[in-house]
Amino acid sequence: MRSRTQLFGLLTLLLAAALPLSAHVGSPDVFYEGSAGPYPLVVTVRVPQVIPGVAEIQIRSESRDVRAIRVVPMRLAGPGSNLPPTPDLAVQSKDDPQFFTASLWLMETGALQVRVLVDGGQGQGEVSVPVPSSAQRTLPMQKSLAGLMFALMLLLAVGVVFIVGAIVREGNLEGGELPSNARQRRARRAMLVTSVLVTVLLFLGKAWWGVNAADFQRRVDFFKPPAAALKFVDGHRLEIRVARADTAVERANFRSPAYLHLGDVIPDHGHLMHLFLLRVPDLNAMWHLHPDSIAGDAFAADLPDLPAGRYQVFADVVDPRGYPWTLVGSIDLPQIVGKPLAGDDSAWSGAPLASPSVDSTISPIPDGGRIVWQRPAGPLKADLPLEFNFAVQDKGGRPAQDMEPYMGMAGHAEFVRSDLSVFAHVHPAGSVSMAALELAQAGLPGGGDSAQMPMSMPMSTPMPEPGTLPPEVHFPYGFPQPGDYRIFVQIKRAGRVETGVFDAHVQ
Ligand SMILES: [Cu+2]
């Protein structure tokens, strides 16, 4: 029945909920660690299920003399990014005065930021946390509610017809007078005309909602991880493009000027693209490469030596508005005799990820040293902000004295779920994109210079001197869902990139 489909369309639209997504795949929440002026903070932003929707913000202050924290959402860059609305006061926990929570309405999709203003014993401090706000999925509607709404609509439609009939038949009758045959005929005609009108109205309504539903779906599809079109050429080269879309909605997205175009992405910690090649299904080898931009909205990487097999590709880029995207694809490759790894490129190979996974906390590295995950006791839980701490030891088991920044940071970590439904590229500053963080800090009062800082370092983190990094690295992050995960931890020692690999079962 036509009106039923219409109603379903309408209700689906009303109840459409979106799971947001960020630089990563399947890992929507934002984890950030940094300083607002003199105050070190850990910020978690749980992005809402619907946009507009309410984001839940948790802030832990590592300093005791924080009196009040205010938060406000705004655009990351462009118009509106320098005119903050009035911030909301975060609620200080009674039990733990260093813990603050707030709920914020996110009104639009795209690259946003949450500005955090801190007031305390050492004066004021301010920091911006980039938040990619997106709609990703439409949830199905409850059948009972649909049935109820349908019944109510039917009642209204039929009711109107009968009311009009009654008015024409019995309006202005004297008391006790019976409607004449002529009035009866007029009433039947009026009911017929009204039925036609009501049907036409329902039809127009359906068309109107159809247009809106398509528009909503377009916005939902807009921020999905774009499919990577992968081409293996010249026996050693991988070309990466955004795949052309199939459906009308996807084609409309692709033509939108706000959509991802690989020709105008901005550098993120020193590279335009971070490409991860994972050998599937075992995740027993991983390459972290940095392809070059080539003509025609594409990137290309000269591959190193690779064994033949199937590879999963995750390619991280950031668009000019500061929105992080991860292109996703997979490709079968023959055995490749390629060029040796150079620059920031790195590789790891080792044991397959077992199913079910076997938890591991020690990962040997090639020079005889090891990386140790200082894992908290007890099971790991999904959906909680966690702190991941890794100690780096030399071959004598002593804390490594030769740690260097790798691409400007103490370390890089990739969290991958065994079924590839989660991929997150995380740094000591958290899951935020470093390029977006740079844009956000540049917008702060007095932060205009940070855009010129080298290597996308957050303002609060001074560029460390080589050889002076502590022998440990930590990452704030939370597993988005239970399951088996492999964690790749990448650091640099004495000019060599080392990768530690850890498996974790998450409840
Ligand atoms: Cu990185």
Side-chain angles (χ1 to χ4, degrees), residues 109-469:
T109 54
L112 306 184
Q113 58 175 309
V114 170
R115 201 160 271 192
V116 181
L117 304 109
V118 183
D119 205 350
Q122 303 169 64
Q124 300 196 326
E126 195 169 350
V127 73
S128 265
V129 182
V131 175
S133 162
S134 66
Q136 200 209 348
R137 201 172 74 176
T138 308
L139 290 182
M141 179 193 35
Q142 275 181 335
K143 280 216 166 89
S144 52
L145 187 60
L148 179 70
M149 298 288 276
F150 180 68
L152 288 174
M153 190 195 69
L154 217 56
L155 188 71
L156 272 177
V158 174
V160 165
V161 173
F162 278 92
I163 287 168
V164 168
I167 289 171
V168 174
R169 194 169 55 242
E170 287 159 43
N172 354 310
L173 278 185
E174 298 293 326
E177 193 189 338
L178 289 174
S180 63
N181 283 348
R183 268 175 180 270
Q184 302 261 22
R185 274 198 304 279
R186 269 212 305 281
R188 277 198 293 275
R189 268 204 305 276
M191 284 167 78
L192 193 71
V193 171
T194 311
S195 305
V196 172
L197 279 176
V198 165
T199 312
V200 168
L201 268 179
L202 289 180
F203 226 127
L204 288 175
K206 174 176 156 52
W208 185 64
W209 278 112
V211 168
N212 278 282
D215 185 53
F216 185 87
Q217 190 57 45
R218 196 170 105 74
R219 274 178 280 159
V220 164
D221 286 345
F222 193 87
F223 291 104
K224 282 184 181 163
L230 302 168
K231 212 159 99 189
F232 180 58
V233 293
D234 301 340
H236 71 284
R237 220 167 138 75
L238 184 65
E239 288 184 2
I240 304 129
R241 290 180 175 76
V242 179
R244 287 278 164 188
D246 296 334
T247 69
V249 167
E250 286 168 345
R251 280 196 296 277
N253 280 342
F254 197 85
R255 281 196 302 271
S256 161
Y259 195 58
L260 170 65
H261 295 281
L262 289 181
D264 39 62
V265 298
I266 61 173
D268 186 9
H269 53 297
H271 297 280
L272 289 172
M273 176 182 276
H274 295 261
L275 175 76
F276 298 90
L277 280 182
L278 290 161
R279 219 165 124 76
V280 286
D282 293 334
L283 303 182
N284 58 341
M286 185 273 263
W287 286 261
H288 177 174
L289 308 175
H290 302 94
D292 295 316
S293 182
I294 60 171
D297 259 0
F299 275 77
D302 287 320
L303 295 175
D305 291 354
L306 289 180
R310 189 160 187 80
Y311 291 86
Q312 176 75 16
V313 168
F314 295 109
D316 283 348
V317 289
V318 180
D319 76 20
R321 291 161 298 277
Y323 195 91
W325 301 83
T326 301
L327 281 81
V328 179
S330 68
I331 188 169
D332 286 304
L333 292 176
Q335 190 188 346
I336 296 165
V337 181
K339 57 158 206 180
L341 290 172
D344 290 329
D345 292 356
S346 58
W348 172 88
S349 63
L353 172 63
S355 174
S357 70
V358 181
D359 287 4
S360 61
T361 54
I362 295 177
S363 180
I365 43 184
D367 78 336
R370 54 190 202 163
I371 302 179
V372 180
W373 178 13
Q374 291 157 336
R375 211 186 119 149
L380 294 167
K381 294 256 165 62
D383 221 19
L384 275 184
L386 302 171
E387 182 79 36
F388 294 81
N389 297 303
F390 300 91
V392 184
Q393 299 173 350
D394 65 18
K395 59 175 180 283
R398 291 173 300 264
Q401 298 301 316
D402 52 359
M403 291 276 289
E404 293 174 7
Y406 175 31
M407 292 184 280
M409 284 172 281
H412 305 248
E414 291 87 41
F415 293 77
V416 187
R417 196 168 183 268
S418 57
D419 65 352
L420 307 169
S421 65
V422 175
F423 172 82
H425 172 179
V426 181
H427 300 114
S431 65
V432 298
S433 128
M434 302 310 288
L437 193 59
E438 191 179 79
L439 282 176
Q441 307 313 323
L444 287 178
D449 292 343
S450 71
Q452 279 97 54
M453 280 185 67
M455 300 300 288
S456 310
M457 294 292 293
M459 272 184 75
S460 53
T461 319
M463 183 72 153
E465 291 295 315
T468 63
L469 281 188

